[in-house]
Amino acid sequence: MNNLNIYIESNPNPNSLKFVTNIMLVDEGIVKDYPDIQSAEDSPLAKKLFDFNYVKRVFIMSNFITITKSEKFSWEEIKLDLRDFIKKYIEEGNEIISKTKKQPSVKSGSKSNNIDEKIKKILEEYIKPAVEQDGGAIDFESFDNGRVTVSLKGACSGCPSSTLTLKSGIENLLKRFVPEVNEVVAEEN
């Protein structure tokens, strides 16, 4: 792999950085969030990243990897080592996500109703692009009795400003477009 470039972007979570490459790392639509090494069974890259004692979470999507570090370390001490490791790992042609594991399918059996579809469309159109720009992902989980449950992944998981974003941004937007929404909560991952 020649001419691989990786640049580093900060995001609202002070313990996460986004390592952006000039190539696609995984196929479109694949989102992988590894909160610990045990969950990284299908990602040789994530497993290797967890070998660094300061790596606490790995998130892989499209052309970037978001890494969440332990609060005990400063990014200035470790970010270049991580960038260099990722660059070398990819340039050597090592596997990022194992091809043998299938992406989990969307929950079957749950009938989508009109409100679910409205919520999903708003999340897709207005919220997902901003969340992805910050190195994370948001997924619709359910709508029940006025309550929308979403899951936050990557840099968003554990971010100090995610609660404010969830309540002030996402909740207000959904309430404006879908009057049946009373509140938005995040599922713990």
Side-chain angles (χ1 to χ4, degrees):
M1 164 76 28
N2 292 337
N3 300 324
L4 176 67
N5 292 316
I6 299 178
Y7 66 93
I8 302 170
E9 285 183 2
S10 59
N11 60 65
N13 185 343
N15 290 316
S16 291
L17 280 180
K18 186 175 168 184
F19 296 80
V20 184
T21 69
N22 60 331
I23 62 164
M24 290 300 283
L25 300 173
V26 294
D27 293 337
E28 186 70 32
I30 298 208
V31 176
K32 294 291 189 171
D33 189 26
Y34 304 106
D36 52 41
I37 193 166
Q38 291 78 19
S39 63
E41 234 5 81
D42 66 340
S43 176
L45 173 58
K47 280 186 192 174
K48 292 273 189 201
L49 287 167
F50 279 113
D51 286 344
F52 293 91
N53 66 338
Y54 43 78
V55 172
K56 295 297 171 209
R57 185 178 206 111
V58 177
F59 177 80
I60 303 171
M61 181 178 174
S62 61
N63 70 328
F64 67 89
I65 300 166
T66 300
I67 296 176
T68 304
K69 67 165 182 66
S70 164
E71 292 178 11
K72 297 174 189 167
F73 295 85
S74 90
W75 280 118
E76 293 310 311
E77 298 173 271
I78 61 176
K79 69 182 178 185
L80 296 180
D81 287 343
L82 285 169
R83 185 199 61 198
D84 293 346
F85 172 80
I86 293 168
K87 184 172 174 34
K88 183 177 183 212
Y89 185 92
I90 294 169
E91 285 175 337
E92 289 175 351
N94 294 308
E95 194 173 40
I96 296 168
I97 304 289
S98 300
K99 303 293 184 220
T100 54
K101 294 273 184 175
K102 293 257 187 221
Q103 181 78 353
S105 60
V106 178
K107 295 172 188 160
S108 60
S110 62
K111 270 194 169 177
S112 292
N113 63 32
N114 197 19
I115 294 172
D116 287 2
E117 291 309 314
K118 279 187 199 174
I119 292 167
K120 288 176 189 175
K121 186 173 189 243
I122 291 163
L123 288 174
E124 197 69 39
E125 198 171 319
Y126 296 101
I127 297 164
K128 278 189 176 193
V131 170
E132 288 171 7
Q133 179 124 18
D134 284 341
I138 183 169
D139 289 323
F140 172 79
E141 295 297 329
S142 65
F143 174 74
D144 185 34
N145 205 19
R147 176 185 242 190
V148 175
T149 303
V150 296
S151 62
L152 300 173
K153 298 175 180 170
C156 300
S157 181
C159 175
S161 64
S162 68
T163 303
L164 180 65
T165 300
L166 196 66
K167 293 298 180 187
S168 298
I170 299 168
E171 185 173 278
N172 288 341
L173 185 71
L174 284 174
K175 282 179 175 178
R176 192 168 66 220
F177 285 109
V178 186
E180 295 86 353
V181 171
N182 296 323
E183 76 171 324
V184 177
V185 296
E187 182 176 86
E188 292 298 317
N189 286 327

